[in-house]
Each structure stands twice: as C-alpha cells, then as structure tokens.
Amino acid sequence: MSADEERDGVRLTNLDQPLFEGADATKRDLVDYLDAVAGRIVPRLAGRPLSVKRVLRGQKPFMQKNIPKYTPSWVRTVTMWAESSQREVSYALCDDRRTLLWFANQRAVEYHPPLVRAEAWDRPTHMVMDIDPPEPDAFGVAVAAARLVRQAMEDSGLRGAVKTSGAKGVHVFVPLDGGTSIEDVAAATRALAVRAERLDPGLVTTAFIREDRGGKVFLDSTRAGGATVVAAYSPRIRPGTPVSFPVPWDDLDRVTPTDFTVRTAAALLADRDPWADLLPEPQPVPADLIEQGRTIPIARVQAMHEGKRRARARRNT
C-alpha cells in the first residue's frame, strides 16, 4: 500500500512513518484510528476553539493553538482572546471528518477542546475534575479518588461520567445546563474538590503546589471555563499511544489506561459511542457549591503568591 493516499479530499502523506519514539504506531495507525472514531470524537470538538498537540519527526511535541498559514480555507476558524498568551488567537473548529483528517495528517495526536463553545465563551458546558495520581503506575489510587469525587458529587446533587485521561489518571465530567458563568463554575469545582478531600484526606489533596501533596492523589479543580481538557477518544503522546477512553463507573477497577490505544480502541467501540451513553443529562450547578467555592482561594493564584513568599524566605535565610 502506498504511503500516500487521499480521503475526503485530504491528501495524506508519509503514512508509514513511525508516529513518535515509543509510540508502537505509525502515522497510518493514527489516521486510521481517528477516521474510525470520527463520528464519536468530532461531536466533542465541534464548535470549540481547538488546541492540538503535534509531534513532528525529530522534534519534541508542541501545543498548537494558532492555525498555521497553510491551513486550508475550508477549515472553519474563530478568533478568540487567549488569556494564557495574552493575545488574539485564530483557533480551528474541528466540525467534520475532513478537518479531523487534515489535523491527523499534520501529526496532531492530542485534541484539547475547552469546556466552552465559541458562541458562548462565558458559559461552560461541563464541570471537570482532573484526578492526578502521584506516580505513573498508580492508577488504582486514581480510581479510589474518582470514587470520592463521585460521592461528593452525589452528596451535592450532581451526576457525572468518568474516562481515562489516556495518561496516568482519570477525568470526571459533569454536563451543565449552560446557566452558570465561568467564575461560578470554577468556584463550584473548587468546592467539590474540597468536599471530596474531606471524605478521605489521607488519600487525596487539593494542594496545587506539588511539593505540598505528600504523595497523595491531586484533585485538580482548575480545569474550568476556557481551560482545555483532552477530549474523549483522543490519543495521547505516551508510550504505546493510549487513548482517553470512557469507562462505566462499575468497570473502573477492571481497566488500566493502556487497555485503550490507537491500535485497540476502535475495535472495542464497534458501533457504540459510550461517552454519549454514559454522560447524564445537563444539570444546573447547586447554589451551595458556588457559595462555598467563592470562599476558597483560586489555586493558581494562591500558589503563585505562596511561591513568591517561599522564594523571599529562601533569599532571607
């Protein structure tokens, strides 16, 4: 088979090249996988200003937000203010299979949409808890932490779904009804993390500074609003090219992140879309969570000030 071909009007090149060192996959494997799951992943990306992580031959992976100048005219775009880089950015909107294939041919491996849509930048569609275990091989404690988050959610009147992150942890998603601002969703997420931490402070922590975590699982409540989270079904630039994959709550103890890769995930899906099936209906954010969250310092800001304080203390010793 030729190393070049065309699908949906997109010329695909160098398909037989290794994807990256340790990928155990070629560029063709990436393209074939994304093509197979296009009907599931595109709905997760459509209408959302997209950041992708690409890996070019002989280079380190890099995150791309601004579309390159050679982007085809048929790729839909939107210009938004990027808070992290303090500038206007022209993002792609991956609204169809053709655009997804074009990204795959650009060796875009990871797909990171924000939790908002372009037309409603101030109204998050999901609340997310990113559960990060202390070690790469500690998925079991990430699962235990996810169950604490689930308990805290249910105690607060919320329901959510869980997926592997494709790296070492899991992501818990709560679909929202769009009636809550970015600031209030962020506050509610902080409160939810604190409530989960109180259920088992020996297992989990909300400490943003890594050296303060004491080997515990980190409940990252900072993925709010314009922040991005890797999409369900997205591959990751990790050994074996694993995929962020939906898992029923009752099955979490029976899986590992490496069960789902670009070589295996499409066959496991067959004709199903488990992420669509597992996600509950959109729901309002409880007012008591918002109120509690407003009293909790914003983790990144608090960490910045604490870092400066510690730096001053070191200079004065």
Side-chain angles (χ1 to χ4, degrees), residues 134 139 172 232:
F139 187 70
V172 178

Side-chain angles (χ1 to χ4, degrees), residues 272-292:
R272 300 178 302 116
D273 184 354
W275 194 230
D277 296 338
L278 293 171
L279 285 170
E281 289 297 311
Q283 52 214 285
V285 180
D288 64 312
L289 267 182
I290 297 172
E291 290 306 312
Q292 180 184 352

Side-chain angles (χ1 to χ4, degrees), residues 85-99:
S85 53
Q86 292 291 298
R87 64 190 175 105
E88 293 283 334
V89 172
S90 183
Y91 292 92
L93 299 174
C94 188
D95 291 347
D96 51 36
R97 172 184 179 240
R98 189 184 190 190
T99 303

Side-chain angles (χ1 to χ4, degrees), residues 113-126:
L115 301 173
V116 292
R117 299 185 184 279
E119 73 275 10
W121 190 252
D122 61 338
R123 299 288 163 173
T125 57
H126 297 83

Side-chain angles (χ1 to χ4, degrees), residues 142-206:
V143 170
R147 297 201 187 285
L148 293 178
V149 172
R150 186 188 191 190
Q151 183 62 57
M153 287 184 341
E154 291 179 346
D155 291 346
S156 305
L158 293 170
R159 295 175 58 237
V162 65
K163 66 183 180 70
T164 67
S165 69
K168 60 181 180 176
V170 295
H171 296 148
V172 178
F173 271 61
V174 178
L176 303 178
D177 63 4
T180 309
S181 68
I182 284 179
E183 293 77 15
D184 284 350
V185 171
T189 311
R190 294 195 297 274
L192 185 65
V194 166
R195 293 185 182 189
E197 182 182 32
R198 287 174 181 168
L199 293 173
D200 191 346
L203 175 66
V204 300
T205 179
T206 57

Side-chain angles (χ1 to χ4, degrees), residues 77-89:
T77 62
V78 62
T79 300
M80 309 287 294
W81 177 259
E83 194 65 34
S84 58
S85 53
Q86 292 291 298
R87 64 190 175 105
E88 293 283 334
V89 172

